[in-house]
Amino acid sequence: MKFCPNCGNKNKESAKFCTNCGYNLKKRDNAADSLHSTNSEKRTIRRIAKEQNKSHKSTWVIATIVLLCVIAGGYYFLNIGSKSASSSNTATTQSANTSVSTGTTNDSIATQNSGSNDTDIKLSSDIGPKETAAAIAYYADKSGLDGWENYLKANNGITIILDSDDIAMVSEKGQGMIYGVLNEQQGSNSLPKNVYTLDEDNTVNIYHLSNEDDSDNPATPIKSISKDEIIQYINNHGYASDVKKLGSKVTLDQEAN
C-alpha cells in the first residue's frame, strides 16, 4: 500500500496517482529513493570517516610506538657504549697497574736476589792465611777501630808484612810474629802502624802503633777478639764477598828491610 503524502489516502502499490486527490505518487517514490539514497550516502560517509579516524589513530599509535622504540634503543646503545668504554678504560688501567705492579715486583725480586747472592756467601772458620788477613783488616776498618777506619778505602788490595824482629814493640806477642797491614796506597820500608798478632788459640790482638811504642814501652792492643768472632761479624754484616775479593789481592811479604 502507498500512502499519499498530500492527503494520506491509501493507494495500491502500483498506483501512480492518488485516487483521492490526484497527487503524483511517482514524486513520492523518487523523493523516498532520494531520501534513502541520501541516508545511505550519509552512512557511507560516516563509515569512511570513522575508518579514516581509526586509521589516523592507528598511524599515531604506530608512530608513537616506533618513536618510543627508537628512544629506548638509543638509550640502550648509549648506556652499553658508555659501560663498554668504562670497562675498557678500567681494564686498561688495571692492565697498566698490573704491568707496573709486576715490573715493581720483578725489580724487587731482582734486588732481593742480588742482595741475597752476597748474604749467601759465608766465610768458614778454616779460611787460609790471606783471607784471614783480609778478614782481620776488614773487621778493624768497618768496626771503626782507632787508626783503622776507612783504611782499606777502595778495597784494591793489601800487603801483609811478616816481622818477627820488632815483636818486642807489642805487649801481646802472639806466636812471635807481627803482621803489618799496608793498604794499596802505601809503600813502606818500615813496619806499618796498623798491625796485629795471632795467639795459638786464634785470639787476634789488633794494634795501631805510635811513635812512642818500643821495646821499653810496648803497645797494648786496641782490640783483642777471637778469629771466630771476626768471621761471625763479617758474615752477619754481609761482608764475606768483599773479604774474599780482598783476600785474592793480599800479598805476603816476609819482612820489611
Side-chain angles (χ1 to χ4, degrees):
M1 297 294 290
K2 289 182 180 179
F3 289 90
C4 177
N6 184 44
C7 66
N9 183 50
K10 292 182 180 180
N11 297 280
K12 292 182 180 179
E13 188 67 34
S14 60
K16 295 181 178 179
F17 297 94
C18 177
T19 57
N20 181 44
C21 66
Y23 181 79
N24 188 351
L25 296 178
K26 189 174 181 181
K27 292 182 179 180
R28 172 188 171 277
D29 293 338
N30 291 337
D33 291 340
S34 175
L35 178 62
H36 177 75
S37 175
T38 301
N39 291 336
S40 177
E41 289 176 356
K42 288 181 179 179
R43 286 194 297 270
T44 301
I45 291 172
R46 283 196 296 269
R47 179 177 55 79
I48 293 172
K50 288 182 180 180
E51 290 178 354
Q52 289 178 344
N53 190 31
K54 288 182 180 180
S55 176
H56 290 161
K57 288 183 179 179
S58 298
T59 302
W60 277 107
V61 170
I62 293 173
T64 302
I65 293 173
V66 171
L67 180 61
L68 291 175
C69 289
V70 170
I71 293 173
Y75 174 78
Y76 173 79
F77 284 111
L78 286 175
N79 192 36
I80 292 298
S82 176
K83 288 183 178 179
S84 177
S86 177
S87 299
S88 177
N89 291 337
T90 301
T92 302
T93 303
Q94 289 177 346
S95 177
N97 290 339
T98 301
S99 299
V100 172
S101 179
T102 302
T104 302
T105 301
N106 291 338
D107 290 343
S108 177
I109 292 173
T111 301
Q112 291 176 359
N113 289 339
S114 176
S116 65
N117 289 337
D118 289 339
T119 56
D120 288 344
I121 298 174
K122 302 293 183 182
L123 295 181
S124 63
S125 58
D126 59 347
I127 55 177
K130 290 187 176 182
E131 284 191 356
T132 297
I136 294 170
Y138 212 87
Y139 165 78
D141 182 314
K142 293 301 181 182
S143 63
L145 296 183
D146 290 343
W148 287 82
E149 188 174 5
N150 297 323
Y151 186 65
L152 299 181
K153 295 183 178 178
N155 196 28
N156 288 328
I158 56 175
T159 299
I160 302 300
I161 306 297
L162 308 179
D163 185 0
S164 59
D165 294 340
D166 297 313
I167 193 64
M169 294 180 63
V170 296
S171 59
E172 300 297 330
K173 298 176 175 48
Q175 300 176 63
M177 182 68 70
I178 292 178
Y179 299 86
V181 181
L182 287 172
N183 65 25
E184 73 279 5
Q185 294 182 343
Q186 290 178 315
S188 177
N189 292 325
S190 61
L191 186 66
K193 298 291 185 181
N194 291 336
V195 301
Y196 66 88
T197 61
L198 190 60
D199 295 343
E200 289 185 3
D201 63 356
N202 282 331
T203 296
V204 181
N205 305 297
I206 303 174
Y207 301 85
H208 179 68
L209 302 179
S210 69
N211 294 331
E212 288 77 21
D213 296 325
D214 56 26
S215 58
D216 295 329
N217 186 33
T220 57
I222 56 176
K223 184 76 173 182
S224 290
I225 183 173
S226 70
K227 176 182 173 182
D228 288 339
E229 287 179 296
I230 291 175
I231 291 173
Q232 183 178 7
Y233 174 89
I234 296 296
N235 289 335
N236 289 344
H237 287 77
Y239 296 148
S241 176
D242 289 335
V243 168
K244 285 182 175 291
K245 292 176 183 177
L246 181 60
S248 67
K249 301 174 184 178
V250 170
T251 300
L252 299 179
D253 193 346
Q254 183 57 39
E255 281 183 354
N257 297 320

